[in-house]
Every structure is written in C-alpha cells, then in structure tokens.
Amino acid sequence: MNPELVWLRDDLRLADNPLFHFSSPPASLMCVYVLDERWLEPLAPGLSARRIGAARLSFLWQSLIALRGELLKRGGDLLVRVGDPPAVIAELVASVGVLCVHVRDTAGHDEANDLARLIEKLPASCKLRRCQGGTLFDEQALPFALEDLPGSFSAFRRRMEAQDSTPPAQPTPITLPLWPEKAPRGLPPLNHICDQAAAWRSDSRGEFRFQGGEEAALARLDHYLWHSGAIARYKKTRNGLLGAEFSTRLSPWLATGCLSARQVHDQVRAWELEHGACESSYWVIFELLWREYFHWVARKEKAGLFGPRALPEPPPAFGSWCRGETGVPFIDAGMRELAATGWQSNRVRQNVVSFLVHDLDVDWRLGAAWFEHCLIDFDVASNWGNWGYVAGVGREASRGRYFNVLWQAQHYDAAGDYVSHWLPKLEGLSEGPARHQPWRADATAYPEPCVIPDAWEDTLLPLSTAAGGASRLDASADGSSL
Ligand SMILES: Cc1cc2nc3c(=O)[nH]c(=O)nc-3n(C[C@H](O)[C@H](O)[C@H](O)COP(=O)(O)OP(=O)(O)OC[C@H]3O[C@@H](n4cnc5c(N)ncnc54)[C@H](O)[C@@H]3O)c2cc1C
C-alpha cells in the first residue's frame, strides 16, 4: 500500500494545511500526533506543576478529537501517542513500513531539534517532505533573509505591509487516502494521561467558552466578523477586560493550528470588501503581524529565545503571584482569571508580566514558564517572545517596558468592575479607585499589597480613616515586605 505519514504538530486542521496537499497522493496515509512526554514533566526545580496544565491539555484533546472526526469523514483517521516525538515517529516508520514522512517546520527550539533527531533516525527507504505554513508568509516570501530580520516590530511591520501579498488560504481536501492496513489508530483516553485535564471545566465567569477544534474555530471567526459586528469596533475595544467580544479570542485556535493566520486574513479582507476597510479591521491584521514577527524571531533566535536554559528556584513572591495573592487587586484578578479559564486579555498579560518582573523583581523566565503551563493559547514563539519583550530582554532590550500597574488598573478598569468580578470581596467597596487600592480605602476589605512601588506615588488615594494599618504598609514601599 506504500504508506506515508503526516506528522501533525501545531497544525490540527484540514483547511489551509499544506501537509494534506500532495503532488501525487499516497495510496495510504497515517496521520499522527505525539503528545510530547516532556510536557508532562515538572516546570522547573521547585515547581511541581507540569509544563502543560489541565486547561491547555483539555483544549488540545478537544482539538485532537475534533480533528479525528474530520479525518474519519474523509476516509482517514488519527493516531495519538504519548512519548518522545521523533522516537515514536521513527518507530511507526519502521513498524508500518512508511515511505515518506510529511511534516511542517514550526517555531520552537525543541520542535526544530525533534525534526533534526527524526532525520537521523529515518531509514534510507523513507523520504521526508518538509513544508511551511501556519504563518502569513513562508520564509522565501520574506523581503529579507531570516538572519537580517528587522530588530524591531515596527521595522518588520513596515517591510511586510509594503509587500502586502499574503497568499490565500487553501481549501479543505474532500477525501483522503485510506488508512494503512493494520496500522494502529485512535487516541488514548485523556484520564489515562491526566485526571485533572479530563475533569477540567472553565469557570463560567470567563464569559466565553473555548471549544477545541477546527469547526469551533471557524464558528468563532464567523461570529466575530459576520454576526456580532465586533470587528468594526476592535480598535476601541481591544484593551477590554470583561465580556466575550472585546477581542477576537482566536488565539487558542491559532496556537494549536485549528485555524491558520491566512484563514483569518482572508476573512478580514472579505469583510473589508463588504463593509469597507477601517482602522479596526486594519488593527486585527496588525495584531496578526505581531504573531508573525514573534514566529520569525523564534526561528531566528532558537534557544536564545528562552534566556539561560536552567530556571532559578522560585522565590516566595512568585507563588503569591501565581496564586493571585499579591494584595494588588488588578494582578490578583488577572492571575485568578488565568487559573480559572486558561486565558487572559492582552492588557492583563502585559500588566502581570511587568508587575512580576519589574515590581517584584522575579526572573521573567519563571513567569513565562507559568504561562506555558496555564495558557490554552500557549504558543512558544508568542509567549516567550512577549515575555522577553515586556521584561526588556532579548530584542529591543533597551526599551524594557514598565507598566505602572495601579495607573493601568484605574485607567482600563475605571469602575473596578473587572477586579470585583474576579475578587468578589471588593464588591463592598465603592466603584472606582477604592477597589484598586483597598488598603487605602478600607484595610479590612482585602489583604495588604506585598509591595507598593515608588512609581505609584502620584496615583495613591489619600488615606481613609477606615484604612487602619495603611501607614504600616507605606513603610514597606521599597518592597522589603517580600
Ligand atoms: C506575556 C504575554 C504572553 C503571551 N503569550 C501568548 C501566547 O502564548 N499565545 C498567543 O497566541 N498570544 C500570546 N500573547 C499575545 C496576546 O496577548 C494574545 O494573542 C491575545 O491576548 C489573544 O487574544 P485574542 O485572540 O482575542 O487577540 P486579538 O487581540 O483579537 O488579536 C488577534 C490575534 O493576533 C495575535 N496577537 C495579538 N496580539 C499579539 C501579541 N502581542 N503577540 C503575538 N500575537 C498576538 C493572536 O494570534 C491573536 O489571536 C501574549 C502576550 C503577552 C503580553
């Protein structure tokens, strides 16, 4: 039957997937996904949480089950294994007699190493077809060599916008080659891998239910563009904190490859043809270019993206931050939303990063590793790239970004609705700044902050007489309470 094998990684879809476009279709085809056993290991010394947390694993499994359904409809199937990806693929090549492995180059140092290790393991009888995809542009379409990638996002964006030739998304294959006779197929039950992931349910306070899979991804894209009208307001709402429509919420599907950037791009352009291009529709593409930038940065920087390899022992302040127990409502609300839903808005992400790195002085790599564990949209390039960017390391290091978290909280959550949504204890305080500075308004309402950075000085409320103990807090303004 001359079997061939598609090794799926961050490309869990059939539409616009170059892995399913063959110059001459194979007689039989295996589609394989390998859950990397390293993702089930602890995050770091002193951090027992696994690299992949329950929320992300649950979303991934939903996506794999949905993909299997789509493959079965077309005459194919899916095999999911847990292990060392190149070793599992090489073993299947040998046991099934695979003649060609199809795989996509992805961002990520481990992923690139996996491919190199597979190449070493493949027998001479088996070919390897490497393709590109997942990004708006393929490497050969970039207007510069990868080593000359512009040093800033702005310079990158200007070069890419000048060329404006994003290729269109490719259609879904209608049928697929048959599954090789006697080849193994199917997924292990999720509870055999992780009980917490099998039982994971997102907290309904998240106000949006993410469901893995290509169909759910397309439904969200369709809704956001064609039914909710939200895209027309994106530029104004994108810094929102509450509700389902302030941003596209496409990130988990883009990260797992249930949806491609080109599919989003095509649909936004189609929307513009019907409704007229506007600042908001431009801004959605602008954000996709951020994704694009970080993907090429990751490919260029390889292991350098992660900073020095070994993570330090986490200090106690890190635990408070992860649990949402810093005493700073905006940070605590954000970290509890992350734990409860596996997702956070971009505005909150930037603030919690800045607080951890610049105010608590904790190593940025611990925070990035925690996000890797929690985020259902974890994407190695976007996560580690954004962390480095806000922490002020790596690219554009000289422009390290400090966010005055208290000012940001009061600006983007003026009434304190977001913080009281996630921290109901604050509902008793009057709407407005008091909910962001409970220690100034009523020290009994909420635990005291673990640090009061000097930068907050001009934003602090006058002390209320109800704020017993606030003067003690002022004494720890240099962060020594940590
Ligand atoms: C510390 C930190 C870590 C992050 N980690 C991730 C991650 O692991 N995975 C991830 O997809 N995004 C990450 N982001 C980027 C961004 O926060 C999310 O993509 C966005 O909040 C997802 O919501 P959305 O889909 O509604 O985005 P929208 O605002 O609707 O944007 C549309 C799409 O553009 C892309 N995008 C938007 N902003 C960025 C950005 N700053 N960097 C890269 N791509 C962007 C995403 O694919 C997003 O889905 C991170 C940002 C920060 C500050």
Side-chain angles (χ1 to χ4, degrees), residues 230-265:
I231 186 176
R233 301 185 290 274
Y234 175 77
K235 177 80 193 314
K236 281 206 175 74
T237 60
R238 68 190 189 89
N239 284 310
L241 304 170
L242 284 172
E245 313 293 13
F246 60 80
S247 67
T248 66
R249 299 229 185 200
L250 292 173
S251 55
W253 292 292
L254 284 163
T256 43
C258 293
L259 187 68
S260 78
R262 287 180 192 166
Q263 287 177 288
V264 181
H265 180 270

Side-chain angles (χ1 to χ4, degrees), residues 25-74:
S28 67
L29 182 72
M30 288 184 85
C31 303
V32 182
Y33 180 88
V34 186
L35 177 69
D36 192 332
E37 62 194 5
R38 288 166 297 189
W39 293 4
L40 302 173
E41 288 169 3
L43 270 181
L47 279 179
S48 58
R50 288 171 159 183
R51 278 179 62 188
I52 185 164
R56 180 152 75 94
L57 187 50
S58 164
F59 185 85
L60 172 64
W61 227 251
Q62 289 169 6
S63 304
L64 289 166
I65 291 168
L67 177 65
R68 185 178 190 204
E70 294 302 321
L71 289 165
L72 282 166
K73 279 186 211 164
R74 290 164 176 82

Side-chain angles (χ1 to χ4, degrees), residues 234 238 247-251 254-255 284 287-288 290-291 294 343-346 349-350 353 371 375 377-379 382-383 386-387 390:
Y234 175 77
R238 68 190 189 89
S247 67
T248 66
R249 299 229 185 200
L250 292 173
S251 55
L254 284 163
V284 173
E287 296 299 348
L288 287 180
W290 265 111
R291 175 181 183 274
F294 283 125
W343 193 87
Q344 264 180 344
S345 68
N346 188 54
R349 291 183 205 206
Q350 290 173 317
V353 173
F371 267 37
L375 283 176
D377 66 17
F378 170 72
D379 154 349
S382 299
N383 186 61
N386 271 290
W387 268 90
V390 182

Side-chain angles (χ1 to χ4, degrees), residues 370-454:
W370 184 248
F371 267 37
E372 176 166 341
H373 167 81
C374 293
L375 283 176
I376 59 170
D377 66 17
F378 170 72
D379 154 349
V380 63
S382 299
N383 186 61
W384 288 83
N386 271 290
W387 268 90
Y389 184 76
V390 182
V393 296
R395 300 206 140 224
E396 303 187 59
S398 56
R399 303 168 66 188
R401 275 145 186 81
Y402 180 76
F403 286 73
N404 179 332
V405 167
L406 194 57
W407 183 91
Q408 291 263 322
Q410 292 178 186
H411 183 75
Y412 291 102
D413 183 31
D417 291 338
Y418 175 72
V419 288
S420 57
H421 186 77
W422 289 102
L423 307 167
K425 276 183 185 171
L426 296 172
E427 275 168 1
L429 292 172
S430 56
E431 286 188 1
R435 289 187 180 173
H436 294 293
Q437 306 184 37
W439 70 97
R440 306 290 286 187
D442 175 359
T444 62
Y446 195 71
E448 59 188 58
C450 61
V451 61
I452 299 182
D454 292 344

Side-chain angles (χ1 to χ4, degrees), residues 74-98:
R74 290 164 176 82
D77 203 341
L78 179 68
L79 171 69
V80 177
R81 286 264 165 93
V82 182
D84 174 38
V88 171
I89 299 295
E91 186 273 316
L92 288 167
V93 165
S95 61
V96 180
V98 168

